[in-house]
Amino acid sequence: GKGGVKIDYAGYSNSVQNDRLFVLDIENRQRVVVITRRARRFRPGNFVRIEFDGIMTNSMPPQIYAQRISLISWNNIWCDFC
């Protein structure tokens, strides 16, 4: 694959716009804006796992550019993190 760091980020989407998701980080309760063309595939309340390059802007809320977003259901959430 391509070089670069891949970082997983998990949280709940609490707002959906055309090209971005507002996600609440499960670890530190921080809101993050996730830039993605696939934002409309998700709904508020979805639990998502985001793969990104580790770059987060210093804006408030910070922004990340998603390389991949997966919907995690409660049925297999713990398997996803095993």
Side-chain angles (χ1 to χ4, degrees):
K2 296 176 185 170
V5 179
K6 292 249 173 40
I7 295 179
D8 276 347
Y9 183 92
Y12 293 97
S13 60
N14 56 14
S15 177
V16 178
Q17 295 179 0
N18 278 337
D19 59 350
R20 61 193 62 208
L21 288 175
F22 290 83
V23 174
L24 186 66
D25 183 329
I26 57 171
E27 288 188 17
N28 60 20
R29 300 290 183 206
Q30 173 178 271
R31 284 186 73 205
V32 174
V33 177
V34 182
I35 309 297
T36 173
R37 286 176 296 183
R38 299 177 179 209
R40 287 284 180 196
R41 293 184 178 189
F42 301 95
R43 297 282 174 266
N46 283 164
F47 188 62
V48 294
R49 185 160 99 192
I50 299 140
E51 199 174 277
F52 76 111
D53 59 9
I55 298 170
M56 187 177 281
T57 67
N58 287 324
S59 58
M60 289 305 288
Q63 297 183 6
I64 61 177
Y65 288 85
Q67 293 172 330
R68 179 178 296 166
I69 301 183
S70 331
L71 179 63
I72 302 173
S73 73
W74 286 111
N75 296 338
N76 65 8
I77 177 173
W78 301 116
C79 294
D80 273 56
F81 291 106
C82 291

